[in-house]
């Protein structure tokens, strides 16, 4: 079974600084996707960034980037120039790819990120 | 384009009752997935429906069921509610094709008393 582990229940960072959230996963699949989702107090899950396992290049989305280490099964999220609006729960998630498209999401336990003004 | 809509937003039920939650996906999306979020168990997959057929099912008892209608709207039902069913129930819709994003609704907060 696939598992996703986030070892940092809480993190905090000064506004405008950089923070890295950690995620490791376990799978025997070769084709899969990894995601970081953000859940603000409004509770709506918002996709932050996505990485396809077959791509060696790390995904980036503006201030958000990942460090994908496939052999180590590690998938960390770096947030640069942290802003107050980045405060939220961040979930790492995994999805296997099948002939029928992306399968269900398996989530980690989340990291609560606090931004210090 | 309207997002994923879940109704109701909040619900209080008594132990032993049953409840039905509704999810309207983004227009054109034929896949709807349901997740349960609790402080103790985190986010857990319940089931997924695609074109009115259940494609995947998580490890939940038979009290949890769902269905999808021809317009892709989905409902999930929980019968004989238990206190442990108190949770945030999230619905996500997607095109269910390769490399497509799952869009989430704001959830239904169910409290069982």
């Amino acid at each position: 079974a696939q598992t996703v582990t986030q070892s940092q229940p809480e993190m905090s960072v000064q506004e405008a600084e950089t923070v890295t959230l950690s995620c490791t996963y376990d799978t025997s699949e070769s084709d899969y996707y990894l995601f970081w989702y953000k859940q603000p107090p409004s509770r709506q899950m918002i996709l932050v960034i996505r990485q396809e396992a077959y791509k060696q290049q790390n995904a980036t989305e503006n201030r958000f980037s990942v460090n994908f280490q496939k052999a180590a099964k590690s998938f960390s999220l770096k947030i640069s120039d942290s802003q107050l609006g980045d405060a939220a729960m961040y979930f790492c998630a995994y999805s296997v790819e099948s002939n029928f498209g992306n399968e269900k999401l398996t989530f980690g336990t989340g990291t609560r990120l606090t931004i210090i003004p | 384009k309207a997002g994923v809509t879940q109704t109701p937003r909040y619900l209080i039920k008594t132990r032993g009752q049953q409840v039905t939650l509704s999810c309207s996906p983004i227009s054109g999306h034929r896949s709807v997935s349901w997740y349960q979020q609790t402080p103790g168990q985190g986010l857990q997959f319940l089931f997924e429906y695609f074109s009115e057929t259940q494609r995947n099912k998580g490890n939940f008892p038979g009290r949890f069921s769902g269905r999808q209608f021809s317009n892709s709207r989905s409902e999930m039902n929980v019968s004989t509610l238990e206190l442990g069913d108190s949770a945030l129930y999230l619905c996500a819709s997607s095109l269910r094709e390769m490399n497509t994003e799952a869009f989430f609704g704001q959830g239904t907060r169910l409290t069982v008393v």
Side-chain angles (χ1 to χ4, degrees):
Chain A
Q2 294 85 14
T3 58
V4 178
T5 302
Q6 293 179 250
S7 59
Q8 307 154 315
E10 297 183 353
M11 292 281 286
S12 61
V13 63
Q14 291 282 147
E15 192 176 1
E17 295 296 310
T18 296
V19 64
T20 299
L21 309 184
S22 301
C23 172
T24 58
Y25 60 95
D26 188 27
T27 183
S28 57
E29 301 287 342
S30 57
D31 294 325
Y32 53 88
Y33 291 88
L34 295 164
F35 308 84
W36 279 98
Y37 278 90
K38 168 185 176 181
Q39 187 178 40
S42 68
R43 308 178 318 197
Q44 185 162 14
M45 300 285 279
I46 301 165
L47 179 65
V48 174
I49 200 165
R50 170 175 55 205
Q51 175 79 42
E52 293 90 337
Y54 65 86
K55 288 187 177 179
Q56 293 186 338
Q57 187 173 5
N58 289 325
T60 62
E61 285 289 343
N62 301 315
R63 298 182 294 107
F64 299 87
S65 62
V66 299
N67 183 3
F68 173 48
Q69 302 289 327
K70 191 172 184 179
K73 295 180 181 175
S74 170
F75 183 62
S76 61
L77 173 70
K78 185 172 82 171
I79 306 174
S80 304
D81 185 25
S82 297
Q83 300 176 0
L84 295 177
D86 295 334
M89 280 290 285
Y90 285 80
F91 292 94
C92 179
Y94 162 99
S95 173
V96 70
E97 183 177 308
S98 72
N99 291 333
F100 198 65
N102 295 344
E103 299 285 341
K104 65 174 182 178
L105 289 163
T106 299
F107 288 92
T109 51
T111 297
R112 183 174 301 281
L113 179 64
T114 300
I115 310 297
I116 303 167
Chain B
K1 200 175 192 180
V4 179
T5 304
Q6 290 188 247
T7 56
R9 292 288 307 279
Y10 301 91
L11 206 49
I12 299 175
K13 287 288 189 178
T14 303
R15 192 170 44 182
Q17 287 186 314
Q18 76 164 15
V19 67
T20 299
L21 311 182
S22 179
C23 173
S24 293
I26 291 172
S27 178
H29 287 190
R30 293 193 293 161
S31 169
V32 174
S33 298
W34 290 88
Y35 294 83
Q36 182 196 63
Q37 185 175 20
T38 61
Q41 298 298 318
L43 280 150
Q44 293 186 288
F45 172 77
L46 279 156
F47 28 65
E48 180 203 1
Y49 286 87
F50 181 82
S51 293
E52 303 179 65
T53 302
Q54 188 179 87
R55 294 289 181 181
N56 273 305
K57 189 178 191 304
N59 188 25
F60 278 82
R63 300 185 297 106
F64 291 82
S65 63
R67 59 178 175 169
Q68 186 178 35
F69 302 95
S70 58
N71 62 357
S72 294
R73 189 177 70 86
S74 177
E75 290 181 346
M76 67 162 283
N77 183 276
V78 188
S79 62
T80 320
L81 284 165
E82 300 177 359
L83 296 179
D85 297 333
S86 295
L88 178 67
Y89 290 89
L90 291 166
C91 164
S93 79
S94 75
L95 290 169
R96 208 16 168 108
E97 296 168 354
M98 295 296 184
N99 198 18
T100 56
E101 178 181 348
F103 293 84
F104 283 82
Q106 289 190 283
T108 294
R109 170 75 68 187
L110 171 65
T111 302
V112 182
V113 297

